[in-house]
Amino acid sequence: MESLSNTTQEKKSLFQWIRKYNKQFIGFITTILALLFISPYIYIIFTSIKPSSEAISNSPTFFPREFSIENYVSMFDQMPILSYFFNSFITAFISTVLSVFLGALAAYGLARFSSKLGNVFLLITLCIRMIPMISIAIPMYIIINSMGLIDTHAALIITYTSINVPFAIWLMMGFFNNIPKEFDEAARIDGCNIFTSFLKVILPVSLPGLATTSIFCFMLAWNDFLFALLLTSTNAKTATVGISEFLTAYNLDLGPMTAAAVSFSLPVMIFSILVQRYIVSGMTLGSVKG
């Protein structure tokens, strides 16, 4: 009996210890996992500020022995990287605006005027979004080529918009379903038609949802490599394709490549961190009915 009592007390003390240090333990594990997850990116940052000879050394080190901006200077000397960044931004920005606007229109109509046909349309859009991008790459190339738009901004804008619209519809549906229909009725009483009430009443109320959808659509277009590689060659080449060209069959410019990768990704990562709470609040708003 005494040994059983001691065992029970030990278990209670163990549970009390776990409850007391639960948050600290979870925080410690989360910190370790986060460091492991971002360590490759930290290595890329450190490599970008190493001298070129040290970046391709046979005995690489994690931390640079000396700091240098040589790779960033070389990045601009070797290729028109600013032009590639501009192409990435303009195609991602315009396609995001079109995707969110068209997706919001479709989502509003499906949310306010639900029907069996509308449900079938929703199912079709979901199935389209689930199709692997690699499986539609060749058909998209044939369509864009037949339109004479190869190596143009329009080719990428059309492609990214067609890919992002189904995603925008499904994401915006959750936000519009949470907006009471009394808002529409009040706008009708004030003399607004359906489109005017959508623009002047519903869209301002759903700004968190629009912001969340815009961020995700922009990220999908900004980070694309497959379609940018397939549909562009010179004039509309994006940063993702340009960065890959530092690697050739005969050479690897690791230093300038890491400098370009940091320049391409760091601003977006900082922006994502700054708007993280808006993304979370927007996703939560769109997932809860009430």
Side-chain angles (χ1 to χ4, degrees):
M1 290 294 291
E2 186 176 350
S3 61
L4 182 61
S5 177
N6 291 335
T7 305
T8 305
Q9 288 179 355
E10 289 176 358
K11 288 182 178 180
K12 285 182 179 180
S13 61
L14 178 61
F15 287 135
Q16 288 174 356
W17 185 88
I18 292 174
R19 287 179 181 178
K20 183 178 180 180
Y21 296 101
N22 184 37
K23 291 183 178 180
Q24 291 86 340
F25 180 73
I26 293 176
F28 174 76
I29 296 298
T30 304
T31 302
I32 295 298
L33 292 176
L35 288 174
L36 290 174
F37 184 77
I38 66 174
S39 58
Y41 187 74
I42 295 175
Y43 180 74
I44 291 176
I45 294 176
F46 284 149
T47 303
S48 70
I49 56 177
K50 294 177 180 178
S52 57
S53 58
E54 186 180 342
I56 58 174
S57 173
N58 291 328
S59 55
T61 57
F62 190 86
F63 298 100
R65 297 187 182 94
E66 60 178 295
F67 294 95
S68 172
I69 60 170
E70 175 186 344
N71 294 320
Y72 289 89
V73 175
S74 178
M75 169 186 70
F76 289 106
D77 291 339
Q78 292 187 28
M79 61 178 59
I81 198 71
L82 287 179
S83 175
Y84 298 159
F85 279 15
F86 174 78
N87 292 336
S88 291
F89 176 78
I90 200 69
T91 53
F93 179 78
I94 296 177
S95 65
T96 297
V97 172
L98 291 174
S99 300
V100 173
F101 181 71
L102 296 175
L105 280 174
Y108 176 71
L110 292 169
R112 289 295 185 263
F113 310 101
S114 59
S115 62
K116 291 184 178 180
L117 185 61
N119 294 333
V120 172
F121 176 77
L122 270 177
L123 183 61
I124 292 174
T125 58
L126 179 62
C127 293
I128 291 174
R129 192 65 187 86
M130 293 170 62
I131 296 174
M133 294 298 103
I134 188 67
S135 64
I136 64 172
I138 301 303
M140 284 298 298
Y141 176 84
I142 294 173
I143 294 172
I144 296 298
N145 188 43
S146 64
M147 297 169 66
L149 296 176
I150 292 295
D151 198 24
T152 63
H153 293 129
L156 295 179
I157 291 170
I158 292 171
T159 302
Y160 296 154
T161 302
S162 62
I163 292 171
N164 282 331
V165 163
F167 174 77
I169 291 174
W170 271 92
L171 203 56
M172 290 303 300
M173 276 284 292
F175 300 111
F176 290 140
N177 283 331
N178 285 319
I179 299 175
K181 293 184 178 180
E182 286 76 12
F183 281 53
D184 304 76
E185 296 170 359
R188 301 281 181 81
I189 294 174
D190 290 337
C192 297
N193 56 34
I194 296 176
F195 188 71
T196 306
S197 64
F198 169 73
L199 288 179
K200 293 186 176 181
V201 178
I202 303 302
L203 281 186
V205 175
S206 59
L207 279 180
L210 290 173
T212 303
T213 307
S214 299
I215 291 167
F216 279 109
C217 289
F218 185 86
M219 294 295 184
L220 288 170
W222 177 263
N223 293 322
D224 173 69
F225 174 78
L226 173 63
F227 291 104
L229 178 65
L230 191 65
L231 301 177
T232 66
S233 57
T234 305
N235 297 326
K237 185 183 295 182
T238 62
T240 51
V241 179
I243 292 172
S244 70
E245 291 181 350
F246 285 107
L247 172 63
T248 65
Y250 306 101
N251 189 30
L252 169 60
D253 291 326
L254 184 61
M257 176 184 278
T258 55
V262 172
S263 302
F264 177 75
S265 59
L266 195 58
V268 179
M269 291 183 65
I270 294 173
F271 175 73
S272 301
I273 293 171
L274 293 176
V275 301
Q276 180 182 8
R277 65 189 186 94
Y278 298 104
I279 297 176
V280 174
S281 62
M283 293 296 290
T284 305
L285 176 65
S287 63
V288 180
K289 270 193 173 184

PDB file of all heavy atoms in Angstrom, residues 123-158:
ATOM      1  N   LEU A 123     -18.155  22.787 -57.160  1.00  0.00           N
ATOM      2  CA  LEU A 123     -17.447  21.505 -57.186  1.00  0.00           C
ATOM      3  C   LEU A 123     -16.468  21.452 -58.345  1.00  0.00           C
ATOM      4  O   LEU A 123     -15.342  20.949 -58.203  1.00  0.00           O
ATOM      5  CB  LEU A 123     -18.464  20.360 -57.288  1.00  0.00           C
ATOM      6  CG  LEU A 123     -17.904  18.931 -57.250  1.00  0.00           C
ATOM      7  CD1 LEU A 123     -17.185  18.685 -55.938  1.00  0.00           C
ATOM      8  CD2 LEU A 123     -19.017  17.916 -57.458  1.00  0.00           C
ATOM      9  N   ILE A 124     -16.868  22.005 -59.497  1.00  0.00           N
ATOM     10  CA  ILE A 124     -15.985  22.017 -60.669  1.00  0.00           C
ATOM     11  C   ILE A 124     -14.750  22.879 -60.395  1.00  0.00           C
ATOM     12  O   ILE A 124     -13.624  22.491 -60.726  1.00  0.00           O
ATOM     13  CB  ILE A 124     -16.745  22.522 -61.908  1.00  0.00           C
ATOM     14  CG1 ILE A 124     -17.814  21.500 -62.324  1.00  0.00           C
ATOM     15  CG2 ILE A 124     -15.775  22.766 -63.078  1.00  0.00           C
ATOM     16  CD1 ILE A 124     -18.714  21.982 -63.447  1.00  0.00           C
ATOM     17  N   THR A 125     -14.954  24.042 -59.793  1.00  0.00           N
ATOM     18  CA  THR A 125     -13.810  24.918 -59.489  1.00  0.00           C
ATOM     19  C   THR A 125     -12.847  24.257 -58.506  1.00  0.00           C
ATOM     20  O   THR A 125     -11.626  24.408 -58.626  1.00  0.00           O
ATOM     21  CB  THR A 125     -14.284  26.263 -58.910  1.00  0.00           C
ATOM     22  OG1 THR A 125     -15.059  26.034 -57.725  1.00  0.00           O
ATOM     23  CG2 THR A 125     -15.115  27.030 -59.914  1.00  0.00           C
ATOM     24  N   LEU A 126     -13.406  23.524 -57.550  1.00  0.00           N
ATOM     25  CA  LEU A 126     -12.548  22.808 -56.597  1.00  0.00           C
ATOM     26  C   LEU A 126     -11.737  21.734 -57.302  1.00  0.00           C
ATOM     27  O   LEU A 126     -10.529  21.578 -57.049  1.00  0.00           O
ATOM     28  CB  LEU A 126     -13.397  22.194 -55.486  1.00  0.00           C
ATOM     29  CG  LEU A 126     -12.633  21.400 -54.424  1.00  0.00           C
ATOM     30  CD1 LEU A 126     -11.648  22.300 -53.682  1.00  0.00           C
ATOM     31  CD2 LEU A 126     -13.599  20.757 -53.434  1.00  0.00           C
ATOM     32  N   CYS A 127     -12.385  20.999 -58.196  1.00  0.00           N
ATOM     33  CA  CYS A 127     -11.675  19.955 -58.946  1.00  0.00           C
ATOM     34  C   CYS A 127     -10.587  20.550 -59.824  1.00  0.00           C
ATOM     35  O   CYS A 127      -9.488  19.986 -59.944  1.00  0.00           O
ATOM     36  CB  CYS A 127     -12.670  19.161 -59.794  1.00  0.00           C
ATOM     37  SG  CYS A 127     -13.844  18.173 -58.843  1.00  0.00           S
ATOM     38  N   ILE A 128     -10.880  21.700 -60.439  1.00  0.00           N
ATOM     39  CA  ILE A 128      -9.886  22.369 -61.284  1.00  0.00           C
ATOM     40  C   ILE A 128      -8.677  22.770 -60.450  1.00  0.00           C
ATOM     41  O   ILE A 128      -7.529  22.618 -60.875  1.00  0.00           O
ATOM     42  CB  ILE A 128     -10.510  23.595 -61.976  1.00  0.00           C
ATOM     43  CG1 ILE A 128     -11.546  23.144 -63.012  1.00  0.00           C
ATOM     44  CG2 ILE A 128      -9.432  24.456 -62.641  1.00  0.00           C
ATOM     45  CD1 ILE A 128     -12.320  24.283 -63.636  1.00  0.00           C
ATOM     46  N   ARG A 129      -8.937  23.299 -59.238  1.00  0.00           N
ATOM     47  CA  ARG A 129      -7.833  23.746 -58.375  1.00  0.00           C
ATOM     48  C   ARG A 129      -6.987  22.573 -57.895  1.00  0.00           C
ATOM     49  O   ARG A 129      -5.808  22.744 -57.564  1.00  0.00           O
ATOM     50  CB  ARG A 129      -8.400  24.509 -57.174  1.00  0.00           C
ATOM     51  CG  ARG A 129      -7.354  25.260 -56.379  1.00  0.00           C
ATOM     52  CD  ARG A 129      -6.733  26.357 -57.219  1.00  0.00           C
ATOM     53  NE  ARG A 129      -5.607  27.007 -56.555  1.00  0.00           N
ATOM     54  CZ  ARG A 129      -4.360  26.584 -56.590  1.00  0.00           C
ATOM     55  NH1 ARG A 129      -4.049  25.487 -57.267  1.00  0.00           N
ATOM     56  NH2 ARG A 129      -3.400  27.240 -55.973  1.00  0.00           N
ATOM     57  N   MET A 130      -7.566  21.386 -57.847  1.00  0.00           N
ATOM     58  CA  MET A 130      -6.839  20.215 -57.362  1.00  0.00           C
ATOM     59  C   MET A 130      -5.971  19.572 -58.436  1.00  0.00           C
ATOM     60  O   MET A 130      -5.145  18.708 -58.139  1.00  0.00           O
ATOM     61  CB  MET A 130      -7.831  19.176 -56.808  1.00  0.00           C
ATOM     62  CG  MET A 130      -8.553  19.628 -55.545  1.00  0.00           C
ATOM     63  SD  MET A 130      -9.900  18.513 -55.079  1.00  0.00           S
ATOM     64  CE  MET A 130      -9.002  17.003 -54.769  1.00  0.00           C
ATOM     65  N   ILE A 131      -6.146  19.994 -59.689  1.00  0.00           N
ATOM     66  CA  ILE A 131      -5.356  19.416 -60.778  1.00  0.00           C
ATOM     67  C   ILE A 131      -3.896  19.862 -60.637  1.00  0.00           C
ATOM     68  O   ILE A 131      -3.628  21.051 -60.458  1.00  0.00           O
ATOM     69  CB  ILE A 131      -5.912  19.871 -62.147  1.00  0.00           C
ATOM     70  CG1 ILE A 131      -7.329  19.325 -62.347  1.00  0.00           C
ATOM     71  CG2 ILE A 131      -5.008  19.403 -63.284  1.00  0.00           C
ATOM     72  CD1 ILE A 131      -7.991  19.840 -63.600  1.00  0.00           C
ATOM     73  N   PRO A 132      -2.939  18.947 -60.706  1.00  0.00           N
ATOM     74  CA  PRO A 132      -1.524  19.341 -60.625  1.00  0.00           C
ATOM     75  C   PRO A 132      -1.156  20.295 -61.754  1.00  0.00           C
ATOM     76  O   PRO A 132      -1.567  20.108 -62.905  1.00  0.00           O
ATOM     77  CB  PRO A 132      -0.769  18.010 -60.752  1.00  0.00           C
ATOM     78  CG  PRO A 132      -1.768  16.960 -60.376  1.00  0.00           C
ATOM     79  CD  PRO A 132      -3.099  17.491 -60.807  1.00  0.00           C
ATOM     80  N   MET A 133      -0.373  21.331 -61.426  1.00  0.00           N
ATOM     81  CA  MET A 133      -0.033  22.343 -62.415  1.00  0.00           C
ATOM     82  C   MET A 133       0.757  21.763 -63.585  1.00  0.00           C
ATOM     83  O   MET A 133       0.618  22.214 -64.714  1.00  0.00           O
ATOM     84  CB  MET A 133       0.771  23.469 -61.752  1.00  0.00           C
ATOM     85  CG  MET A 133      -0.002  24.271 -60.719  1.00  0.00           C
ATOM     86  SD  MET A 133      -1.433  25.145 -61.408  1.00  0.00           S
ATOM     87  CE  MET A 133      -2.767  24.071 -60.863  1.00  0.00           C
ATOM     88  N   ILE A 134       1.581  20.750 -63.308  1.00  0.00           N
ATOM     89  CA  ILE A 134       2.410  20.174 -64.367  1.00  0.00           C
ATOM     90  C   ILE A 134       1.550  19.534 -65.450  1.00  0.00           C
ATOM     91  O   ILE A 134       1.934  19.478 -66.623  1.00  0.00           O
ATOM     92  CB  ILE A 134       3.398  19.139 -63.768  1.00  0.00           C
ATOM     93  CG1 ILE A 134       4.404  18.667 -64.820  1.00  0.00           C
ATOM     94  CG2 ILE A 134       2.637  17.957 -63.175  1.00  0.00           C
ATOM     95  CD1 ILE A 134       5.349  19.732 -65.267  1.00  0.00           C
ATOM     96  N   SER A 135       0.343  19.070 -65.081  1.00  0.00           N
ATOM     97  CA  SER A 135      -0.510  18.393 -66.056  1.00  0.00           C
ATOM     98  C   SER A 135      -1.198  19.354 -67.018  1.00  0.00           C
ATOM     99  O   SER A 135      -1.683  18.932 -68.072  1.00  0.00           O
ATOM    100  CB  SER A 135      -1.568  17.542 -65.333  1.00  0.00           C
ATOM    101  OG  SER A 135      -2.429  18.380 -64.585  1.00  0.00           O
ATOM    102  N   ILE A 136      -1.253  20.643 -66.674  1.00  0.00           N
ATOM    103  CA  ILE A 136      -1.879  21.612 -67.582  1.00  0.00           C
ATOM    104  C   ILE A 136      -0.846  22.527 -68.235  1.00  0.00           C
ATOM    105  O   ILE A 136      -1.208  23.460 -68.961  1.00  0.00           O
ATOM    106  CB  ILE A 136      -2.931  22.476 -66.845  1.00  0.00           C
ATOM    107  CG1 ILE A 136      -2.261  23.332 -65.757  1.00  0.00           C
ATOM    108  CG2 ILE A 136      -4.029  21.623 -66.255  1.00  0.00           C
ATOM    109  CD1 ILE A 136      -3.196  24.343 -65.141  1.00  0.00           C
ATOM    110  N   ALA A 137       0.433  22.259 -67.983  1.00  0.00           N
ATOM    111  CA  ALA A 137       1.487  23.125 -68.516  1.00  0.00           C
ATOM    112  C   ALA A 137       1.511  23.101 -70.044  1.00  0.00           C
ATOM    113  O   ALA A 137       1.542  24.167 -70.686  1.00  0.00           O
ATOM    114  CB  ALA A 137       2.842  22.702 -67.950  1.00  0.00           C
ATOM    115  N   ILE A 138       1.496  21.917 -70.643  1.00  0.00           N
ATOM    116  CA  ILE A 138       1.555  21.816 -72.098  1.00  0.00           C
ATOM    117  C   ILE A 138       0.285  22.376 -72.746  1.00  0.00           C
ATOM    118  O   ILE A 138       0.384  23.145 -73.724  1.00  0.00           O
ATOM    119  CB  ILE A 138       1.798  20.358 -72.538  1.00  0.00           C
ATOM    120  CG1 ILE A 138       3.114  19.840 -71.952  1.00  0.00           C
ATOM    121  CG2 ILE A 138       1.816  20.258 -74.058  1.00  0.00           C
ATOM    122  CD1 ILE A 138       4.322  20.676 -72.322  1.00  0.00           C
ATOM    123  N   PRO A 139      -0.928  22.032 -72.265  1.00  0.00           N
ATOM    124  CA  PRO A 139      -2.126  22.672 -72.844  1.00  0.00           C
ATOM    125  C   PRO A 139      -2.089  24.195 -72.741  1.00  0.00           C
ATOM    126  O   PRO A 139      -2.491  24.889 -73.689  1.00  0.00           O
ATOM    127  CB  PRO A 139      -3.270  22.088 -72.002  1.00  0.00           C
ATOM    128  CG  PRO A 139      -2.762  20.772 -71.541  1.00  0.00           C
ATOM    129  CD  PRO A 139      -1.302  20.978 -71.311  1.00  0.00           C
ATOM    130  N   MET A 140      -1.616  24.733 -71.618  1.00  0.00           N
ATOM    131  CA  MET A 140      -1.529  26.185 -71.477  1.00  0.00           C
ATOM    132  C   MET A 140      -0.537  26.760 -72.485  1.00  0.00           C
ATOM    133  O   MET A 140      -0.782  27.833 -73.071  1.00  0.00           O
ATOM    134  CB  MET A 140      -1.099  26.557 -70.061  1.00  0.00           C
ATOM    135  CG  MET A 140      -2.191  26.424 -69.012  1.00  0.00           C
ATOM    136  SD  MET A 140      -3.616  27.493 -69.306  1.00  0.00           S
ATOM    137  CE  MET A 140      -2.871  29.119 -69.216  1.00  0.00           C
ATOM    138  N   TYR A 141       0.558  26.060 -72.715  1.00  0.00           N
ATOM    139  CA  TYR A 141       1.536  26.534 -73.699  1.00  0.00           C
ATOM    140  C   TYR A 141       0.920  26.561 -75.095  1.00  0.00           C
ATOM    141  O   TYR A 141       1.128  27.533 -75.854  1.00  0.00           O
ATOM    142  CB  TYR A 141       2.776  25.636 -73.690  1.00  0.00           C
ATOM    143  CG  TYR A 141       3.793  26.006 -74.744  1.00  0.00           C
ATOM    144  CD1 TYR A 141       4.724  27.016 -74.507  1.00  0.00           C
ATOM    145  CD2 TYR A 141       3.809  25.365 -75.987  1.00  0.00           C
ATOM    146  CE1 TYR A 141       5.646  27.376 -75.482  1.00  0.00           C
ATOM    147  CE2 TYR A 141       4.721  25.723 -76.969  1.00  0.00           C
ATOM    148  CZ  TYR A 141       5.636  26.732 -76.707  1.00  0.00           C
ATOM    149  OH  TYR A 141       6.540  27.099 -77.670  1.00  0.00           O
ATOM    150  N   ILE A 142       0.164  25.534 -75.441  1.00  0.00           N
ATOM    151  CA  ILE A 142      -0.459  25.476 -76.772  1.00  0.00           C
ATOM    152  C   ILE A 142      -1.459  26.618 -76.944  1.00  0.00           C
ATOM    153  O   ILE A 142      -1.502  27.282 -77.991  1.00  0.00           O
ATOM    154  CB  ILE A 142      -1.153  24.110 -76.973  1.00  0.00           C
ATOM    155  CG1 ILE A 142      -0.109  22.991 -76.995  1.00  0.00           C
ATOM    156  CG2 ILE A 142      -1.971  24.100 -78.259  1.00  0.00           C
ATOM    157  CD1 ILE A 142      -0.702  21.592 -77.023  1.00  0.00           C
ATOM    158  N   ILE A 143      -2.258  26.883 -75.888  1.00  0.00           N
ATOM    159  CA  ILE A 143      -3.251  27.961 -75.963  1.00  0.00           C
ATOM    160  C   ILE A 143      -2.563  29.321 -76.095  1.00  0.00           C
ATOM    161  O   ILE A 143      -2.921  30.142 -76.950  1.00  0.00           O
ATOM    162  CB  ILE A 143      -4.161  27.925 -74.718  1.00  0.00           C
ATOM    163  CG1 ILE A 143      -5.009  26.652 -74.719  1.00  0.00           C
ATOM    164  CG2 ILE A 143      -5.055  29.160 -74.672  1.00  0.00           C
ATOM    165  CD1 ILE A 143      -5.784  26.439 -73.432  1.00  0.00           C
ATOM    166  N   ILE A 144      -1.569  29.566 -75.246  1.00  0.00           N
ATOM    167  CA  ILE A 144      -0.864  30.854 -75.268  1.00  0.00           C
ATOM    168  C   ILE A 144      -0.119  31.039 -76.586  1.00  0.00           C
ATOM    169  O   ILE A 144      -0.106  32.139 -77.169  1.00  0.00           O
ATOM    170  CB  ILE A 144       0.112  30.956 -74.083  1.00  0.00           C
ATOM    171  CG1 ILE A 144      -0.651  30.950 -72.741  1.00  0.00           C
ATOM    172  CG2 ILE A 144       0.969  32.205 -74.188  1.00  0.00           C
ATOM    173  CD1 ILE A 144      -1.601  32.112 -72.559  1.00  0.00           C
ATOM    174  N   ASN A 145       0.468  29.973 -77.094  1.00  0.00           N
ATOM    175  CA  ASN A 145       1.192  30.044 -78.362  1.00  0.00           C
ATOM    176  C   ASN A 145       0.245  30.340 -79.520  1.00  0.00           C
ATOM    177  O   ASN A 145       0.578  31.118 -80.430  1.00  0.00           O
ATOM    178  CB  ASN A 145       1.948  28.739 -78.612  1.00  0.00           C
ATOM    179  CG  ASN A 145       2.866  28.827 -79.814  1.00  0.00           C
ATOM    180  OD1 ASN A 145       3.566  29.814 -80.003  1.00  0.00           O
ATOM    181  ND2 ASN A 145       2.858  27.792 -80.637  1.00  0.00           N
ATOM    182  N   SER A 146      -0.946  29.738 -79.505  1.00  0.00           N
ATOM    183  CA  SER A 146      -1.922  29.987 -80.567  1.00  0.00           C
ATOM    184  C   SER A 146      -2.435  31.426 -80.540  1.00  0.00           C
ATOM    185  O   SER A 146      -2.867  31.958 -81.555  1.00  0.00           O
ATOM    186  CB  SER A 146      -3.105  29.018 -80.434  1.00  0.00           C
ATOM    187  OG  SER A 146      -3.815  29.255 -79.219  1.00  0.00           O
ATOM    188  N   MET A 147      -2.371  32.060 -79.367  1.00  0.00           N
ATOM    189  CA  MET A 147      -2.780  33.459 -79.234  1.00  0.00           C
ATOM    190  C   MET A 147      -1.647  34.423 -79.578  1.00  0.00           C
ATOM    191  O   MET A 147      -1.853  35.645 -79.603  1.00  0.00           O
ATOM    192  CB  MET A 147      -3.261  33.717 -77.800  1.00  0.00           C
ATOM    193  CG  MET A 147      -4.496  32.915 -77.410  1.00  0.00           C
ATOM    194  SD  MET A 147      -4.848  33.002 -75.630  1.00  0.00           S
ATOM    195  CE  MET A 147      -5.259  34.743 -75.447  1.00  0.00           C
ATOM    196  N   GLY A 148      -0.456  33.898 -79.813  1.00  0.00           N
ATOM    197  CA  GLY A 148       0.692  34.729 -80.151  1.00  0.00           C
ATOM    198  C   GLY A 148       1.211  35.537 -78.977  1.00  0.00           C
ATOM    199  O   GLY A 148       1.732  36.643 -79.167  1.00  0.00           O
ATOM    200  N   LEU A 149       1.098  35.007 -77.769  1.00  0.00           N
ATOM    201  CA  LEU A 149       1.478  35.753 -76.570  1.00  0.00           C
ATOM    202  C   LEU A 149       2.708  35.200 -75.861  1.00  0.00           C
ATOM    203  O   LEU A 149       2.994  35.599 -74.725  1.00  0.00           O
ATOM    204  CB  LEU A 149       0.298  35.771 -75.579  1.00  0.00           C
ATOM    205  CG  LEU A 149      -0.971  36.492 -76.044  1.00  0.00           C
ATOM    206  CD1 LEU A 149      -2.076  36.346 -75.000  1.00  0.00           C
ATOM    207  CD2 LEU A 149      -0.682  37.963 -76.321  1.00  0.00           C
ATOM    208  N   ILE A 150       3.420  34.287 -76.511  1.00  0.00           N
ATOM    209  CA  ILE A 150       4.620  33.730 -75.887  1.00  0.00           C
ATOM    210  C   ILE A 150       5.631  34.845 -75.604  1.00  0.00           C
ATOM    211  O   ILE A 150       5.862  35.724 -76.433  1.00  0.00           O
ATOM    212  CB  ILE A 150       5.250  32.651 -76.795  1.00  0.00           C
ATOM    213  CG1 ILE A 150       4.332  31.422 -76.873  1.00  0.00           C
ATOM    214  CG2 ILE A 150       6.617  32.221 -76.264  1.00  0.00           C
ATOM    215  CD1 ILE A 150       4.141  30.684 -75.568  1.00  0.00           C
ATOM    216  N   ASP A 151       6.240  34.793 -74.436  1.00  0.00           N
ATOM    217  CA  ASP A 151       7.239  35.760 -73.978  1.00  0.00           C
ATOM    218  C   ASP A 151       6.644  37.166 -73.832  1.00  0.00           C
ATOM    219  O   ASP A 151       7.285  38.164 -74.190  1.00  0.00           O
ATOM    220  CB  ASP A 151       8.441  35.790 -74.926  1.00  0.00           C
ATOM    221  CG  ASP A 151       9.667  36.435 -74.269  1.00  0.00           C
ATOM    222  OD1 ASP A 151       9.740  36.435 -73.025  1.00  0.00           O
ATOM    223  OD2 ASP A 151      10.531  36.955 -75.003  1.00  0.00           O
ATOM    224  N   THR A 152       5.432  37.225 -73.304  1.00  0.00           N
ATOM    225  CA  THR A 152       4.809  38.515 -72.992  1.00  0.00           C
ATOM    226  C   THR A 152       4.269  38.488 -71.567  1.00  0.00           C
ATOM    227  O   THR A 152       4.025  37.411 -71.005  1.00  0.00           O
ATOM    228  CB  THR A 152       3.646  38.837 -73.950  1.00  0.00           C
ATOM    229  OG1 THR A 152       2.610  37.844 -73.793  1.00  0.00           O
ATOM    230  CG2 THR A 152       4.117  38.858 -75.397  1.00  0.00           C
ATOM    231  N   HIS A 153       4.080  39.667 -70.992  1.00  0.00           N
ATOM    232  CA  HIS A 153       3.482  39.748 -69.660  1.00  0.00           C
ATOM    233  C   HIS A 153       2.066  39.194 -69.671  1.00  0.00           C
ATOM    234  O   HIS A 153       1.612  38.577 -68.696  1.00  0.00           O
ATOM    235  CB  HIS A 153       3.464  41.196 -69.167  1.00  0.00           C
ATOM    236  CG  HIS A 153       4.818  41.748 -68.908  1.00  0.00           C
ATOM    237  ND1 HIS A 153       5.244  42.952 -69.421  1.00  0.00           N
ATOM    238  CD2 HIS A 153       5.878  41.261 -68.199  1.00  0.00           C
ATOM    239  CE1 HIS A 153       6.479  43.194 -69.021  1.00  0.00           C
ATOM    240  NE2 HIS A 153       6.890  42.185 -68.283  1.00  0.00           N
ATOM    241  N   ALA A 154       1.353  39.412 -70.782  1.00  0.00           N
ATOM    242  CA  ALA A 154      -0.039  38.955 -70.875  1.00  0.00           C
ATOM    243  C   ALA A 154      -0.146  37.441 -70.731  1.00  0.00           C
ATOM    244  O   ALA A 154      -1.114  36.935 -70.146  1.00  0.00           O
ATOM    245  CB  ALA A 154      -0.640  39.403 -72.211  1.00  0.00           C
ATOM    246  N   ALA A 155       0.850  36.717 -71.245  1.00  0.00           N
ATOM    247  CA  ALA A 155       0.821  35.246 -71.147  1.00  0.00           C
ATOM    248  C   ALA A 155       0.811  34.805 -69.688  1.00  0.00           C
ATOM    249  O   ALA A 155       0.014  33.937 -69.287  1.00  0.00           O
ATOM    250  CB  ALA A 155       2.020  34.657 -71.874  1.00  0.00           C
ATOM    251  N   LEU A 156       1.683  35.387 -68.878  1.00  0.00           N
ATOM    252  CA  LEU A 156       1.748  35.015 -67.464  1.00  0.00           C
ATOM    253  C   LEU A 156       0.534  35.532 -66.698  1.00  0.00           C
ATOM    254  O   LEU A 156       0.028  34.845 -65.797  1.00  0.00           O
ATOM    255  CB  LEU A 156       3.031  35.562 -66.843  1.00  0.00           C
ATOM    256  CG  LEU A 156       4.339  34.974 -67.381  1.00  0.00           C
ATOM    257  CD1 LEU A 156       5.534  35.629 -66.705  1.00  0.00           C
ATOM    258  CD2 LEU A 156       4.382  33.464 -67.183  1.00  0.00           C
ATOM    259  N   ILE A 157       0.062  36.723 -67.027  1.00  0.00           N
ATOM    260  CA  ILE A 157      -1.107  37.277 -66.330  1.00  0.00           C
ATOM    261  C   ILE A 157      -2.330  36.402 -66.563  1.00  0.00           C
ATOM    262  O   ILE A 157      -3.076  36.086 -65.627  1.00  0.00           O
ATOM    263  CB  ILE A 157      -1.360  38.727 -66.799  1.00  0.00           C
ATOM    264  CG1 ILE A 157      -0.245  39.649 -66.302  1.00  0.00           C
ATOM    265  CG2 ILE A 157      -2.719  39.218 -66.306  1.00  0.00           C
ATOM    266  CD1 ILE A 157      -0.272  41.028 -66.911  1.00  0.00           C
ATOM    267  N   ILE A 158      -2.535  35.988 -67.804  1.00  0.00           N
ATOM    268  CA  ILE A 158      -3.676  35.109 -68.121  1.00  0.00           C
ATOM    269  C   ILE A 158      -3.544  33.783 -67.393  1.00  0.00           C
ATOM    270  O   ILE A 158      -4.511  33.262 -66.819  1.00  0.00           O
ATOM    271  CB  ILE A 158      -3.775  34.887 -69.645  1.00  0.00           C
ATOM    272  CG1 ILE A 158      -4.162  36.191 -70.352  1.00  0.00           C
ATOM    273  CG2 ILE A 158      -4.778  33.790 -69.973  1.00  0.00           C
ATOM    274  CD1 ILE A 158      -4.073  36.119 -71.868  1.00  0.00           C
TER     275      ILE A 158
END
